[in-house]
Amino acid sequence: SAVISQKPSRDICQRGTSLTIQCQVDSQVTMMFWYRQQPGQSLTLIATANQGSEATYESGFVIDKFPISRPNLTFSTLTVSNMSPEDSSIYLCSVRGGGLASYNEQFFGPGTRLTVL
Amino acid sequence: LAKTTQPISMDSYEGQEVNITCSHNNIATNDYITWYQQFPSQGPRFIIQGYKTKVTNEVASLFIPADRKSSTLSLPRVSLSDTAVYYCLVGDIGTGGFKTIFGAGTRLFVKA
């Protein structure tokens, strides 16, 4: 299995500011993903973080709003830019493949709870 | 990706067997069926995965009929700690760019 840590675990931010969320994995992984989950709702995939190249974004999400970095096989960041209250959500990092025992299983971090005032 | 349909919520009592059925009428030949469990304030956790017939592990069983248009997650003798949201996902895991897309899930409430 994979141990995934996210920083910060939670934050309260003012509208118009930006927050960068870090995701660290204890093993090298092939694929890293970022999801958003609003209270009481299911998870929505934001983007796939590609090592050494631009992230691949899902419909409704753009790089200017959610810039993503992935400098190596164990680390990624997601920035929520120019925040508004609608960005209040839990943001989760997820990984699959690489050094993990099963390529078919996807592992999730504990999430970052963001509140925008 | 094949669309999945699950009951929104289910109630059960401790010690009972719980069966959650997922419909995926448009499942493709190469698609696998995967179930995840999510507790409050945690990320989802992989439970079980299968292609056809029956799969069993230490947590659950997964029953898949021959036409594969549905699947049933079976949780034996549930306890209060099994209260969670259960997600059914369908996709071609053999594809390098396979993305795990979540549906609405089923909220299971286990009562004492």
Side-chain angles (χ1 to χ4, degrees), chain B:
Chain B
L1 292 172
K3 177 179 170 60
T4 59
T5 303
Q6 307 173 231
I8 294 174
S9 66
M10 295 180 68
D11 289 345
S12 182
Y13 288 92
E14 281 189 295
Q16 289 186 334
E17 178 184 76
V18 171
N19 296 308
I20 306 174
T21 297
C22 177
S23 297
H24 28 79
N25 292 318
N26 296 322
I27 189 168
T29 302
N30 295 331
D31 286 348
Y32 278 70
I33 301 154
T34 309
W35 286 79
Y36 282 83
Q37 174 191 55
Q38 186 178 27
F39 297 114
S41 301
Q42 295 185 26
R45 181 176 74 115
F46 174 95
I47 300 177
I48 198 166
Q49 185 179 79
Y51 183 80
K52 62 181 179 180
T53 62
K54 177 183 175 182
V55 179
T56 298
N57 61 24
E58 65 278 5
V59 177
S61 294
L62 177 59
F63 298 92
I64 306 169
D67 66 4
R68 302 195 334 118
K69 292 184 182 300
S70 68
S71 59
T72 299
L73 175 72
S74 181
L75 305 172
R77 298 179 297 282
V78 295
S79 63
L80 295 176
S81 62
D82 292 316
T83 294
V85 179
Y86 293 82
Y87 296 98
C88 165
L89 296 87
V90 174
D92 183 358
I93 62 175
T95 302
F98 171 68
K99 297 179 289 189
T100 300
I101 304 296
F102 286 80
T106 298
R107 294 182 177 275
L108 173 65
F109 297 95
V110 180
K111 306 173 186 176

Side-chain angles (χ1 to χ4, degrees), chain A residues 35-39 88-92 110-114, chain B residues 41:
Chain A
Y35 289 80
R36 181 171 74 180
Q37 185 173 31
Q38 298 184 315
S88 297
S89 189
I90 298 172
Y91 291 85
L92 297 107
T112 295
R113 183 180 294 272
L114 171 62
Chain B
S41 301

